[in-house]
Amino acid sequence: MAIQVISPLNVNDHRRDIAGLKYVYPVVSRRAGGVSIGINLNPNNACNWRCVYCQVPDLVRGPAPETDLQQLAAELDALLEHIVIGDFMQTAVPAEVRRINDIAFSGNGEPTTSTQFGAVIDVVAAARAKYALDIKTVLITNGSQLDKMAVQVALQKIAAMDGEVWFKIDRAPKDGFEFVNQITLTRTQVARRLAVSARGCPTWIQTCMFAVDGILPSDTELNDYVAFLAEQLASGVPITGVLLYGLARPSLQSEAPRLSAAPAEWMTALKIRLEQIGLAVKLSA
């Protein structure tokens, strides 16, 4: 299978078709500091959430479609061969980030809505073994499916592969509609699912902060967010830390004109607050 990267990779280009493949794509991750191999189980651009900062074009509501496991395995094998054995790193990756950091379930929607999620993890495990990859396997998730036993079993497989979860919590969960994620949830749901994740696999909170109509999250919103995480720690939920980031690339949703980046000093101040409650924090502007 031929691999043809559309252009040299950079942190601002996360196109899922950059290697001409359906399910597998390479990116340079600013948070990971290296090459991340993405697994896109949502090539239909469907997600059960609709985050206002999402960079997926033509996003629609819905679950992941059926995955052609044979094609996914072939694509992953071809890309890994090009990276590990071929000249991919030299020709497509900036010199300072020429390392494979992880294989990440990310893509254009919520990966755990795939009914074949567990089977796809088995495909990844086989590829890791073939190329003797000592790298992380990462699940980037909104956590919405973690009440399902099949997803919990899949999580155990990820943990066995030196894996970790990046669990999306952008604001303190409250009962009712959430503007940022365009979804209705309860605080209890989020806390329960976060506990399932953190107790089953090392789990980082993934938080995107930004201004809406030029207004940053209020002191009350920040207090509630920090307090929620502190409550989880106090109740024994083993949160690994927080991946705190801002708007690096423009949203492709209708709310895009209303969104703007938070100042660096504001983000740093929030990082310090989170560290003060005992959380490790990785900040990406």
Side-chain angles (χ1 to χ4, degrees):
M1 180 180 294
I3 301 292
Q4 180 63 53
V5 176
I6 295 173
S7 62
L9 302 182
N10 66 77
V11 297
N12 294 317
D13 191 348
H14 284 198
R15 283 175 291 171
R16 312 313 189 202
D17 63 348
I18 199 165
L21 305 174
K22 181 176 182 179
Y23 296 113
V24 182
Y25 61 98
V27 298
V28 172
S29 170
R30 62 197 173 112
R31 276 170 283 172
V35 174
S36 178
I37 300 166
I39 306 293
N40 181 16
L41 300 184
N42 303 75
N44 60 344
N45 294 358
C47 187
N48 60 342
W49 288 22
R50 193 186 73 77
C51 301
V52 296
Y53 56 82
C54 184
Q55 292 114 22
V56 174
D58 304 316
L59 183 68
V60 296
R61 297 273 193 174
E66 182 176 356
T67 299
D68 184 332
L69 295 175
Q70 185 174 6
Q71 180 178 345
L72 188 152
E75 290 183 1
L76 183 58
D77 181 74
L79 182 58
L80 286 175
E81 181 179 20
H82 192 26
I83 291 173
V84 176
I85 301 172
D87 63 355
F88 177 87
M89 287 294 192
Q90 290 70 37
T91 60
V93 180
E96 65 274 15
V97 286
R98 285 178 183 163
R99 56 182 288 271
I100 309 175
N101 188 76
D102 57 53
I103 297 176
F105 290 94
S106 179
N108 289 0
E110 173 54 42
T112 61
T113 60
S114 169
T115 59
Q116 298 157 285
F117 183 57
V120 175
I121 293 174
D122 293 337
V123 169
V124 170
R128 281 169 47 98
K130 177 178 178 178
Y131 290 96
L133 295 175
D134 184 19
I135 60 175
K136 291 187 178 297
T137 302
V138 178
L139 168 62
I140 302 174
T141 179
N142 59 32
S144 62
Q145 306 300 300
L146 280 167
D147 290 326
K148 297 180 178 179
M149 184 55 64
V151 177
Q152 294 177 21
V153 170
L155 202 65
Q156 294 172 0
K157 295 181 180 180
I158 293 175
M161 293 191 291
D162 186 29
E164 61 187 34
V165 175
W166 296 2
F167 190 109
K168 183 187 298 296
I169 299 180
D170 291 315
R171 303 293 183 271
K174 297 180 179 180
D175 296 349
F177 181 75
E178 168 55 53
F179 168 78
V180 172
N181 306 125
Q182 297 285 294
I183 194 73
T184 298
L185 288 175
T186 69
R187 185 182 178 91
T188 301
Q189 280 178 316
V190 177
R192 180 180 67 245
R193 293 166 180 171
L194 175 60
V196 167
S197 178
R199 289 172 179 149
C201 188
T203 296
W204 290 81
I205 303 299
Q206 182 180 244
T207 297
C208 184
M209 287 290 180
F210 50 88
V212 179
D213 299 327
I215 302 173
L216 291 164
S218 67
D219 288 344
T220 298
E221 289 176 297
L222 292 182
N223 290 341
D224 288 347
Y225 167 78
V226 174
F228 176 79
L229 296 184
E231 288 169 12
Q232 308 318 302
L233 292 174
S235 65
V237 178
I239 301 169
T240 303
V242 176
L243 303 173
L244 178 62
Y245 68 107
L247 296 179
R249 300 179 302 279
S251 167
L252 294 180
Q253 308 314 309
S254 59
E255 293 85 359
R258 302 178 59 192
L259 311 183
S260 58
E265 59 272 18
W266 187 93
M267 297 288 284
T268 299
L270 178 55
K271 174 180 183 290
I272 292 170
R273 287 192 63 182
L274 292 169
E275 290 172 338
Q276 289 172 341
I277 65 170
L279 287 168
V281 182
K282 297 179 182 180
L283 173 60
S284 301

